[in-house]
Amino acid sequence: MLPDPATQIFEAQRPRLLRLAYRMLGSRAEAEDVVQEAWLRWHRSDRNAVAEPAAWLTRIVSRLCLDAMKSARVRRETYPGQWLPEPLIEPEDDEERADNITLTLMVALERLSPLERAAFLLHDVFNQPLDDVGATLKRSPAATRQLAARARAHVRLDQPRYEIAREDGEALTRAFFEACRLGDAAALGSLLASDVTLRSDGGGKVLTFPNAIQGVDRLIRLYLGLARKLGSRMEFLGHVVIDGLPGFLSRVDGHLQTTAVEIVEGRIAAIYITRNPDKLTGAKLPG
């Protein structure tokens, strides 16, 4: 039996709504909760009065996300250590990427206010007209334009993105893992940019570094120490693409983790490690 027309309309929009909610919230679980609430509101609504279902649903999801973001900001003020977005492991087919956002940009979006983040995502990423975005945010088009402009300035959207072929990313990340496992200082020095930054998220449940660590010398010393203590308990599970960045799944001392790296001019400029088990329930190799 075919689903009813209202369900067909919603299901056609569901993937886009989930992407929007994830980009707003940085959590797949919270995004699914928001989209489920939008589904309930859609079925309770007078759908005959909805001229453009896609726009109506986008507005509902955006406003639900704004409400969720306010409470999320409060929770993150007491979050143990650093907070990273839930790692989004992509299918093997690169063409399935629905937007051009990377994990690096997701981290940068955390610096924005909820309204700035919403204006930027809706207008710049999801191509909503300014009038529609303003109606969603209950702001004038001029005020909405200012919100989006401030967001762009904060995340430095004009900075160049460095594309890397999948096979090159896999080779570099495997070399990085092996250098970490073996404590190979020379290899690490050849792989890491001078101003490389490491961020890690354990949620207070798994041991991580409470603050960002920057600089090639500090990271080499860090990884040499880790290799001495845990090198024999580092297991490479496979290559993945995590929100547009090359990365890999591994186990360290029995704990699953994802590692994503930003590569700039052939060297690793940023490392993002997620070990919080609550954020890894869906972490698996694609295929």
Side-chain angles (χ1 to χ4, degrees), residues 148-275:
R150 286 204 301 270
R152 288 185 214 107
H154 286 318
V155 302
R156 295 182 297 176
L157 193 63
D158 57 338
Q159 295 294 306
R161 272 201 59 198
Y162 293 88
E163 302 289 347
I164 183 168
R166 181 184 286 268
E167 57 271 21
D168 293 336
E170 290 180 355
L172 194 149
T173 52
R174 185 60 189 251
F176 173 61
F177 173 84
E178 289 300 326
C180 294
R181 185 178 66 85
L182 298 173
D184 188 334
L188 287 168
S190 71
L191 293 168
L192 301 175
S194 61
D195 59 349
V196 61
T197 300
L198 181 148
R199 293 180 172 86
S200 57
D201 180 342
K205 300 182 177 183
V206 181
L207 184 64
T208 53
F209 312 113
N211 301 304
I213 301 172
Q214 186 168 24
V216 62
D217 292 337
R218 293 184 66 192
L219 279 188
I220 288 176
R221 289 196 299 271
L222 171 73
Y223 278 118
L224 291 181
L226 288 176
R228 286 193 296 269
K229 295 177 183 177
L230 301 172
S232 63
R233 299 196 293 277
M234 293 183 182
E235 178 187 4
F236 187 90
L237 300 179
H239 295 286
V240 289
V241 175
I242 301 173
D243 234 351
L245 298 184
F248 54 88
L249 283 174
S250 62
R251 287 192 191 279
V252 177
D253 200 22
H255 296 288
L256 180 68
Q257 67 180 49
T258 61
T259 301
V261 300
E262 181 184 14
I263 299 172
V264 177
E265 297 180 342
R267 292 190 177 231
I268 296 172
I271 304 166
Y272 304 99
I273 298 174
T274 299
R275 305 192 78 208

Side-chain angles (χ1 to χ4, degrees), residues 7 16 19 24 29 37 54 59 66 135 139 160 208 225 268 284:
T7 299
R16 185 180 62 85
R19 289 197 306 273
M24 293 272 275
E37 176 61 25
R59 186 168 300 170
L66 283 171
R139 298 292 189 275
T208 53
I268 296 172
K284 61 182 180 180

Side-chain angles (χ1 to χ4, degrees), residues 11-268:
E11 291 303 320
Q13 295 297 319
R14 184 186 288 274
R16 185 180 62 85
L17 297 174
L18 281 169
R19 289 197 306 273
L20 172 60
Y22 170 76
R23 295 305 183 194
M24 293 272 275
L25 301 171
S27 165
R28 286 182 296 182
E30 291 182 12
E32 289 167 356
D33 289 344
V34 161
V35 172
Q36 181 61 25
E37 176 61 25
W39 157 260
L40 296 174
R41 295 192 182 195
W42 170 245
H43 272 268
R44 291 197 300 261
S45 69
D46 179 6
R47 293 183 295 279
N48 292 327
V50 177
E52 297 182 23
W56 189 93
L57 289 166
T58 297
R59 186 168 300 170
I60 292 298
V61 166
S62 299
R63 289 178 176 171
L64 289 170
C65 284
L66 283 171
D67 290 339
M69 287 164 72
K70 293 172 185 176
S71 60
R73 286 171 75 88
V74 173
R75 291 196 305 273
R76 287 171 197 171
E77 289 175 359
T78 58
Y79 190 82
Q82 301 174 83
W83 185 93
L84 290 175
E86 187 174 344
L88 186 63
I89 296 177
E90 298 175 3
E92 292 183 350
D93 183 356
D94 284 337
E95 294 180 358
E96 292 190 29
R97 293 206 78 220
D99 55 50
N100 203 36
I101 291 183
T102 66
L103 179 57
T104 301
L105 183 53
M106 285 289 285
V107 172
L109 290 177
E110 287 298 307
R111 300 198 297 266
L112 306 180
S113 72
L115 285 174
E116 287 171 341
R117 183 167 182 157
F120 170 77
L121 287 170
L122 288 169
H123 182 255
D124 288 53
V125 178
F126 288 85
N127 301 313
Q128 296 290 303
L130 271 176
D131 288 349
D132 290 352
V133 179
T136 297
L137 304 183
K138 300 180 181 179
R139 298 292 189 275
S140 69
T144 303
R145 188 179 295 108
Q146 289 181 340
L147 286 169
R150 286 204 301 270
R152 288 185 214 107
H154 286 318
V155 302
R156 295 182 297 176
L157 193 63
D158 57 338
Q159 295 294 306
R161 272 201 59 198
Y162 293 88
E163 302 289 347
I164 183 168
R166 181 184 286 268
E167 57 271 21
D168 293 336
E170 290 180 355
L172 194 149
T173 52
R174 185 60 189 251
F176 173 61
F177 173 84
E178 289 300 326
C180 294
R181 185 178 66 85
L182 298 173
D184 188 334
L188 287 168
S190 71
L191 293 168
L192 301 175
S194 61
D195 59 349
V196 61
T197 300
L198 181 148
R199 293 180 172 86
S200 57
D201 180 342
K205 300 182 177 183
V206 181
L207 184 64
T208 53
F209 312 113
N211 301 304
I213 301 172
Q214 186 168 24
V216 62
D217 292 337
R218 293 184 66 192
L219 279 188
I220 288 176
R221 289 196 299 271
L222 171 73
Y223 278 118
L224 291 181
L226 288 176
R228 286 193 296 269
K229 295 177 183 177
L230 301 172
S232 63
R233 299 196 293 277
M234 293 183 182
E235 178 187 4
F236 187 90
L237 300 179
H239 295 286
V240 289
V241 175
I242 301 173
D243 234 351
L245 298 184
F248 54 88
L249 283 174
S250 62
R251 287 192 191 279
V252 177
D253 200 22
H255 296 288
L256 180 68
Q257 67 180 49
T258 61
T259 301
V261 300
E262 181 184 14
I263 299 172
V264 177
E265 297 180 342
R267 292 190 177 231
I268 296 172

